[in-house]
Amino acid sequence: MTEKLRKKLITALKIIISAVLIYFIFTKIELKDVLQTLKKSDPLYLFLALLFFVLSKVLSAFRTNLYFHQVGAKVSQLSNLKLYLLGMFYNLFLPGGIGGDAYKGFVIQKEFQPGTKKVISSLLLDRLSGMLLLFVYACALALFSENEFFQTFYWLLIAAIPLSISVFWFANKTFFTTTLTVFWKSLGLSALVQLAQLICVLFILQSLSVNLNSIEYLFVFLVSSIVSVIPLTIGGIGSREVTFLYGAKWLGLDESTSIGISFTFFLITALTSLFGVIYHFNKPKLESVD
């Protein structure tokens, strides 16, 4: 099997999985109920949600560039922002082509020659750092929730936060010594990235006039963000919605509202990612800094 054929088959499989998951969701809830929820959305709060989502992506690009600089790729912040946006576009709108992370890695290696292993490790750490903070924030939100589901795991959740950070630090110290000096700075940026996304979702909740169970909805969002990283669907489509559906069932939340939150977040992601098409036709020139 050729590499080109393999990529096409993987893409087709992802599209099928996404379609099956979306179909499955709407066998469990009524589409009209979700649409009714979305119709109530307040444009002002949606605009604020969009602003904080964009802020989260800018901070995420800064974190990625922090790792690039550590491995010797001294790309300017502006150039990296353009490259990051193009990567978002590729991840969501061109799933059959080269992935966003793979494209960024290819361009950085081509322009700065830091070494393929170093580039891959920097992109991997960037992704893992974000997932760690998703987990930490999810544990923290669960501690503040009054839902009985979390009470059984109270002390486990408390222990999980410092333990997960310690494990990640030890992994960095053992396997990624080149980037260890920016460990805490990258972790701080990750905290700001996920905080901005949580505020984004809070504004989505406000736009949909959801005033109850905010902590639980935010918790489900964080879990869905972790699940959506698993490369089984196109841009997390389907996997995020299924997580919201079952999260709502487990925590006693409104299922239509949960799916409405998920769809709204996806639309904000898609709208932002669409601007990357500019750099698809006019590839950004990577400028370096001293």
Side-chain angles (χ1 to χ4, degrees):
M1 182 185 297
T2 65
E3 182 65 17
K4 188 175 181 180
L5 178 59
R6 187 183 70 85
K7 286 183 177 180
K8 287 183 177 180
L9 289 174
I10 291 175
T11 300
L13 181 61
K14 287 183 177 181
I15 292 173
I16 291 171
I17 292 174
S18 289
V20 168
L21 290 176
I22 293 296
Y23 173 79
F24 172 76
I25 288 166
F26 289 113
T27 62
K28 300 296 182 180
I29 61 173
E30 293 289 337
L31 176 59
K32 63 179 181 181
D33 293 337
V34 177
L35 294 176
Q36 191 63 36
T37 300
L38 294 175
K39 284 179 181 179
K40 298 185 299 182
S41 57
D42 186 318
L44 175 59
Y45 284 120
L46 287 179
F47 178 70
L48 291 172
L50 174 63
L51 288 182
F52 274 91
F53 178 80
V54 172
L55 174 62
S56 77
K57 290 304 175 181
V58 170
L59 291 169
S60 183
F62 286 168
R63 183 187 64 204
T64 304
N65 207 22
L66 184 67
Y67 283 120
F68 284 160
H69 282 211
Q70 281 301 115
V71 299
K74 303 288 186 177
V75 59
S76 70
Q77 294 290 6
L78 182 58
S79 296
N80 183 61
L81 279 170
K82 294 176 181 178
L83 183 61
Y84 191 93
L85 185 58
L86 179 58
M88 288 178 63
F89 174 74
Y90 283 164
N91 277 336
L92 199 58
F93 292 103
L94 294 179
I98 187 167
D101 283 349
Y103 180 76
K104 284 186 288 187
F106 170 77
V107 172
I108 291 296
Q109 172 59 21
K110 181 181 178 181
E111 294 293 326
F112 296 95
Q113 298 291 319
T116 302
K117 287 185 178 180
K118 288 184 177 180
V119 174
I120 292 174
S121 66
S122 65
L123 290 169
L124 176 62
L125 281 173
D126 180 62
R127 184 61 64 93
L128 291 176
S129 179
M131 291 185 69
L132 172 64
L133 263 295
L134 288 170
F135 177 77
V136 168
Y137 276 135
C139 289
L141 285 172
L143 289 172
F144 286 101
S145 172
E146 296 180 358
N147 193 289
E148 293 182 4
F149 179 80
F150 298 115
Q151 300 308 311
T152 309
F153 309 102
Y154 187 82
W155 292 107
L156 181 61
L157 291 167
I158 290 177
I161 295 174
L163 180 62
S164 60
I165 295 174
S166 298
V167 169
F168 189 54
W169 180 86
F170 182 77
N172 273 257
K173 186 176 185 296
T174 305
F175 303 107
F176 306 103
T177 53
T178 305
T179 57
L180 185 62
T181 54
V182 296
F183 176 84
W184 293 109
K185 190 173 181 179
S186 66
L187 213 62
L189 282 171
S190 292
L192 292 175
V193 169
Q194 306 308 340
L195 179 61
Q197 292 217 353
L198 284 174
I199 295 173
C200 166
V201 177
L202 275 173
F203 279 125
I204 291 174
L205 289 172
Q206 286 298 309
S207 76
L208 299 176
S209 301
V210 178
N211 299 312
L212 298 174
N213 305 119
S214 295
I215 289 177
E216 288 73 23
Y217 281 118
L218 291 175
F219 174 84
V220 175
F221 164 74
L222 291 172
V223 174
S224 74
S225 295
I226 295 173
V227 172
S228 67
V229 173
I230 303 172
L232 293 176
T233 61
I234 299 298
I237 301 171
S239 60
R240 187 186 292 275
E241 284 71 28
V242 166
T243 306
F244 262 96
L245 177 65
Y246 279 100
K249 287 179 180 292
W250 289 330
L251 300 177
L253 306 175
D254 184 79
E255 295 171 13
S256 297
T257 299
S258 290
I259 299 301
I261 294 167
S262 181
F263 279 171
T264 303
F265 185 80
F266 171 75
L267 291 173
I268 288 174
T269 303
L271 177 62
T272 306
S273 302
L274 187 59
F275 283 94
V277 72
I278 298 169
Y279 301 113
H280 173 65
F281 294 107
N282 184 23
K283 292 294 191 293
K285 182 180 179 182
L286 298 189
E287 298 177 354
S288 60
V289 293
D290 295 329

